[in-house]
């Protein structure tokens, strides 16, 4: 049977890996290659790295560092940030990534999703959606383009229709908060999508993963818990197993 | 008569070479070069001869169509010579376009000729019905596109025979991963129908849970058990039902006795096959950490004896 995945999701900034709180203050978590090596040794299920320099400051995607990270990864690696053209996808895949996460570019250009998934296959294209809770209503938020009209679920369904293979759903309010995933948010998505959904933002303790998966997440992503708490990915999996959630154990 | 016809065509061609007025220093020259380099002009001559025999009054009106045919043919030659295809250095005794200029120029000239051929036909002094019919025939699968595709596929097939020789005759070990497994089937239904290498009697189909009560997601992404069905030398020292990493929407189906393992995702699908020196996995050994690296090591250690 297919297992639920526990995935570290970290940010790349100034050649360092960082962890953000609410997308704003950044805390250094170490050198990319040594961090990737540790994750690999701990048998994490996947690794997601988002290059925030490339996405926010329109800088060139740092393929050099992606190659270094990929060299350490004998697990699947998803790279996001600054993907604007088909050529960018070629570059990042050639650097060693297995999947590509697209955010800003997809928002205004569903055709780009269609084009990229027809070239590289849906299994390679992850669409990333960031959500903010504004007065009790969930809104799609983009760092470049601000709040959007379309609802998070509608946007995810559009992405699915145009060929996305997975959705990476991040709650900005919960991101870095350590007080658990946005369960109300994931409930909206439960059983609505035909493609897997990775929930990101807020894990502070292993039980949070259980709640997220029970309410509809296919996989969970996190960063804080792996770097600034006593918990390891395996602690999270142990709690999942105790709650009859299938996860991979080594 | 036919010499006269050929002369008429050559003159028409030289007077009507495609033009590209731009600041680009070499594009126009490149665009005209391969056309004026000569050649048999077989296609336009065939057309003009028929017109001459049937409706000689229309000969002049048929000239743009004849030129269109030659342009389309020249385009196919230019692209055919590209490094990604035949990688040819010479054509009609002259250096190929990508040799004289560069690949980008050769690709763009080919594209321009392709488009311009239809422009010529669309503007020919013929009835609207005739022009539409001509465009239809030239662009239809049966005649226009197919003949180009078929010609190129023949080269591809020759290439395949080389690989087949290495694998089937010389028994070189082969390891296919994910799409690399799907390629060795006879046919895949991903985005239409595509012929595979055909080393294994198999087809590749999409997961389909529409008529089942299972609401499983597609693609099948993540770690799943691999249940061994047969002894496979590459599975040695690996525990049965170990988790491997999968990421795919299409899977193998086969009745041939090659199945090495299956995996449960709504159905028990074929997750690896082995036939003589050919090994193929739907999952990613290179992304499955220790157990995956063990498979790769077993493959490298393989001293294949045939």
């Amino acid at each position: 049977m297919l297992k639920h995945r526990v995935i570290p999701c970290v940010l790349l900034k100034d050649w360092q890996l960082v962890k953000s709180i609410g997308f704003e203050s950044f805390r250094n978590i170490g050198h990319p290659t040594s961090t990737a090596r540790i994750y690999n040794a701990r048998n994490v299920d996947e690794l997601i790295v988002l290059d925030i320099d490339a996405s926010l400051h329109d800088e060139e995607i740092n393929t050099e560092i992606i190659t270094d990270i990929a060299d350490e990864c004998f697990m699947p690696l998803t790279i996001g940030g600054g993907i604007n053209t088909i050529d960018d996808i070629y570059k990042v895949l050639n650097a060693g990534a297995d999947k590509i996460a697209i955010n800003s570019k997809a928002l205004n250009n569903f055709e780009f999703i269609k084009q990229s998934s027809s070239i590289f296959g849906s299994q390679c294209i992850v669409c990333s959606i960031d959500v903010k809770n504004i007065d009790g209503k969930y809104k799609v938020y983009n760092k470049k383009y601000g709040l959007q009209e379309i609802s998070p679920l509608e946007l995810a369904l559009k992405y699915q229709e145009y060929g996305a293979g997975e959705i990476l759903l991040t709650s900005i309010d919960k991101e870095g908060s350590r007080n658990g995933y946005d369960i109300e948010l994931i409930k909206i998505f439960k059983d609505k999508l035909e493609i897997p959904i990775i929930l990101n933002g807020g894990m502070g303790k292993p039980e949070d993963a259980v709640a997220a998966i029970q309410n509809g997440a296919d996989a969970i992503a996190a960063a804080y818990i792996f770097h600034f708490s006593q918990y390891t990915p395996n602690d999270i999996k142990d709690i999942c197993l105790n709650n009859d959630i299938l996860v991979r154990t080594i | 008569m036919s010499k006269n016809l050929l002369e008429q065509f050559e003159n028409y061609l030289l007077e009507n070479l495609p033009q590209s007025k731009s600041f680009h220093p070499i594009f126009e020259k490149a665009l005209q070069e391969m056309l004026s380099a000569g050649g048999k002009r077989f296609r336009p001559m065939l057309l003009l001869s028929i017109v001459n025999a049937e409706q000689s009054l229309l000969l002049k009106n048929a000239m743009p169509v004849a030129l269109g045919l030659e342009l389309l043919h020249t385009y196919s030659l230019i692209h055919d010579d590209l490094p990604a295809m035949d990688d040819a250095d010479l054509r009609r005794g002259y250096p190929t376009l990508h040799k004289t200029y560069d690949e980008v120029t050769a690709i763009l000239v080919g594209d321009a000729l392709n488009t311009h051929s239809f422009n010529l036909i669309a503007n020919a002094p013929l009835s609207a019905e005739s022009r539409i019919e001509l465009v239809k025939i030239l662009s239809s699968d049966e005649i226009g596109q197919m003949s180009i595709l078929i010609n190129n596929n023949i080269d591809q097939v020759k290439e395949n025979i080389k690989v087949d020789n290495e694998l089937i005759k010389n028994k070189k070990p082969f390891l296919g991963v994910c799409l690399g497994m799907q390629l060795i089937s006879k046919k895949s239904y991903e985005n239409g129908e595509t012929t595979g290498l055909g080393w294994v009697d198999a087809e590749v189909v999409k997961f389909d849970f529409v008529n089942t009560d299972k609401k499983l997601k597609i693609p099948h992404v993540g770690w799943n058990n691999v249940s061994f069905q047969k002894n496979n030398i590459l599975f040695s020292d690996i525990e049965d039902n170990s988790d491997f990493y999968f990421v795919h929407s299409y899977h193998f189906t086969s009745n041939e006795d090659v199945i090495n393992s299956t995996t449960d995702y709504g159905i028990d699908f074929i997750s690896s096959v082995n036939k003589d020196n050919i090994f193929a996995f739907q999952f990613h050994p290179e992304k499955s950490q220790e157990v995956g690296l063990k498979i790769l090591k077993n493959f490298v250690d393989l001293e294949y004896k045939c």
Side-chain angles (χ1 to χ4, degrees), chain A residues 137-205:
Chain A
K137 270 201 143 177
Y138 287 112
K139 294 273 187 188
V140 175
Y141 175 78
N142 181 277
K143 286 161 277 177
K144 261 189 199 161
Y145 305 113
L147 289 172
Q148 302 290 308
E149 277 301 309
I150 193 166
S151 79
L153 178 61
E154 279 167 356
L155 183 60
L157 288 168
K158 274 276 176 217
Y159 285 159
Q160 171 179 300
E161 182 191 333
Y162 279 82
E166 273 184 290
I167 299 290
L168 172 63
L169 182 68
T170 303
S171 156
I172 300 172
D173 310 297
K174 293 285 184 175
E175 215 273 305
S177 73
R178 294 176 267 160
N179 58 13
Y181 287 101
D182 197 330
I183 299 303
E184 292 312 309
L185 176 64
I186 190 65
K187 274 184 182 167
I188 298 173
F189 285 79
K190 191 176 165 80
D191 298 332
K192 294 288 195 305
L193 293 186
E194 287 155 21
I195 56 177
I197 182 158
I198 307 165
L199 185 61
N200 184 30
M203 177 145 72
K205 55 185 189 310

Side-chain angles (χ1 to χ4, degrees), chain B residues 4-218:
Chain B
N4 186 19
L5 214 54
L6 182 60
E7 248 177 55
Q8 279 183 48
F9 178 73
E10 288 290 349
N11 289 338
Y12 182 82
L13 181 139
L14 289 176
E15 283 161 23
N16 292 281
L17 283 173
Q19 299 182 338
S20 171
K21 294 289 166 230
S22 80
F23 55 88
H24 197 286
I26 51 140
F27 189 69
E28 186 165 66
K29 188 164 174 283
L31 188 61
Q32 299 177 346
E33 194 168 294
M34 204 50 71
L35 272 172
S36 41
K40 299 183 294 289
R41 314 291 191 207
F42 179 74
R43 289 152 192 83
M45 288 316 289
L46 188 61
L47 176 83
L48 292 175
S49 304
I50 294 169
V51 173
N52 199 28
E54 299 278 327
Q55 283 274 5
S56 59
L57 284 176
L58 276 178
L59 200 57
K60 227 177 139 189
N61 307 50
M63 279 294 173
V65 182
L67 183 56
L69 274 177
E70 186 65 8
L71 256 57
L72 193 75
H73 176 59
T74 308
Y75 133 69
S76 77
L77 298 180
I78 292 170
H79 279 196
D80 209 28
D81 289 338
L82 285 169
M85 302 185 77
D86 285 359
D87 199 9
D89 295 343
L90 290 174
R91 169 70 71 177
R92 293 172 178 164
Y94 292 89
T96 46
L97 273 193
H98 66 272
K99 283 282 166 193
T100 311
Y101 305 99
D102 51 27
E103 242 181 287
V104 171
T105 306
I107 291 169
L108 291 178
V109 163
D111 290 343
L113 291 176
N114 182 13
T115 311
H116 193 58
S117 66
F118 288 95
N119 182 277
L120 282 171
I121 293 168
N123 287 301
L126 296 165
S127 74
E129 286 82 5
S130 301
R131 284 180 281 162
I132 289 175
E133 197 57 33
L134 283 166
V135 168
K136 230 162 82 181
I137 293 172
L138 200 59
S139 60
S140 73
D141 279 358
E142 292 80 16
I143 300 173
Q145 281 188 0
M146 268 320 261
S147 66
I148 293 172
L149 292 175
I150 287 165
N151 283 335
N152 290 340
N153 274 344
I154 287 169
D155 297 344
Q156 194 57 53
V157 168
K158 282 187 207 148
E159 201 56 40
N160 289 351
I161 289 170
K162 257 194 256 166
V163 179
D164 283 355
N165 269 342
E166 285 298 316
L167 271 138
I168 313 288
K169 267 200 203 147
N170 300 335
K171 301 273 180 207
K172 281 218 171 143
F174 171 91
L175 186 140
V177 171
C178 199
L179 184 65
M181 168 168 172
Q182 300 180 356
L183 288 176
I184 69 172
S185 70
K186 290 207 157 141
K187 193 198 263 182
S188 163
Y189 291 92
E190 183 162 2
N191 295 332
E193 281 184 30
T194 314
T195 309
L197 294 166
W199 297 339
V200 172
D201 186 5
E203 291 193 342
V204 175
V205 297
K206 193 168 186 178
F207 280 113
D208 183 5
F209 303 121
V210 173
N211 296 318
T212 66
D213 47 2
K214 295 180 183 100
K215 277 211 163 171
L216 293 177
K217 300 200 167 179
I218 305 170

Side-chain angles (χ1 to χ4, degrees), chain A:
Chain A
M1 292 287 280
L2 186 66
K3 314 296 183 298
H4 293 279
R5 288 164 287 157
V6 177
I7 308 170
C9 175
V10 291
L11 307 175
L12 186 63
K13 187 178 189 291
D14 302 329
W15 293 77
Q16 291 288 315
L17 290 185
V18 299
K19 161 82 199 104
S20 72
I21 297 173
F23 278 12
E24 272 159 12
S25 66
F26 299 103
R27 214 167 139 181
N28 198 322
I29 56 178
H31 191 268
T33 47
S34 52
T35 307
R37 195 175 306 145
I38 291 166
Y39 281 137
N40 193 58
R42 287 190 166 185
N43 286 310
V44 301
D45 293 333
E46 255 184 70
L47 177 61
I48 301 176
V49 179
L50 305 174
D51 182 346
I52 51 177
D53 284 333
S55 67
L56 275 186
H57 312 301
D58 287 326
E59 283 179 21
E60 281 270 301
I61 300 164
N62 191 338
T63 47
E64 201 178 324
I65 213 155
I66 294 169
T67 309
D68 287 348
I69 295 171
D71 281 349
E72 299 294 336
C73 283
F74 295 104
M75 70 245 181
L77 173 66
T78 302
I79 297 286
I83 305 283
N84 281 309
T85 62
I86 294 296
D87 208 38
D88 289 338
I89 302 181
Y90 270 114
K91 264 193 236 162
V92 172
L93 292 179
N94 280 336
D98 300 282
K99 295 189 270 184
I100 303 295
I102 307 174
N103 192 328
S104 305
K105 180 69 182 183
L107 204 52
N108 296 313
N109 196 342
F110 296 139
E111 281 300 322
F112 184 67
I113 301 299
K114 196 174 186 176
Q115 201 190 355
S116 46
S117 62
S118 71
I119 295 175
F120 304 101
S122 288
Q123 86 293 332
C124 176
I125 307 297
V126 181
C127 280
S128 170
I129 301 177
D130 299 331
V131 178
K132 244 184 183 171
N133 190 324
I134 308 280
D135 302 327
K137 270 201 143 177
Y138 287 112
K139 294 273 187 188
V140 175
Y141 175 78
N142 181 277
K143 286 161 277 177
K144 261 189 199 161
Y145 305 113
L147 289 172
Q148 302 290 308
E149 277 301 309
I150 193 166
S151 79
L153 178 61
E154 279 167 356
L155 183 60
L157 288 168
K158 274 276 176 217
Y159 285 159
Q160 171 179 300
E161 182 191 333
Y162 279 82
E166 273 184 290
I167 299 290
L168 172 63
L169 182 68
T170 303
S171 156
I172 300 172
D173 310 297
K174 293 285 184 175
E175 215 273 305
S177 73
R178 294 176 267 160
N179 58 13
Y181 287 101
D182 197 330
I183 299 303
E184 292 312 309
L185 176 64
I186 190 65
K187 274 184 182 167
I188 298 173
F189 285 79
K190 191 176 165 80
D191 298 332
K192 294 288 195 305
L193 293 186
E194 287 155 21
I195 56 177
I197 182 158
I198 307 165
L199 185 61
N200 184 30
M203 177 145 72
K205 55 185 189 310
E207 288 76 10
D208 296 337
V210 175
I213 293 166
Q214 283 175 343
N215 284 290
D218 296 287
I220 47 144
Y224 169 84
I225 192 166
F226 302 127
H227 293 276
F228 305 114
S229 82
Q230 76 271 33
Y231 300 112
T232 66
N234 281 341
D235 292 331
I236 296 161
K237 290 182 169 181
D238 286 342
I239 301 279
C240 285
L241 285 176
N242 289 342
N243 285 278
D244 298 325
I245 291 172
L246 276 180
V247 286
R248 179 179 71 121
T249 50
I250 294 291

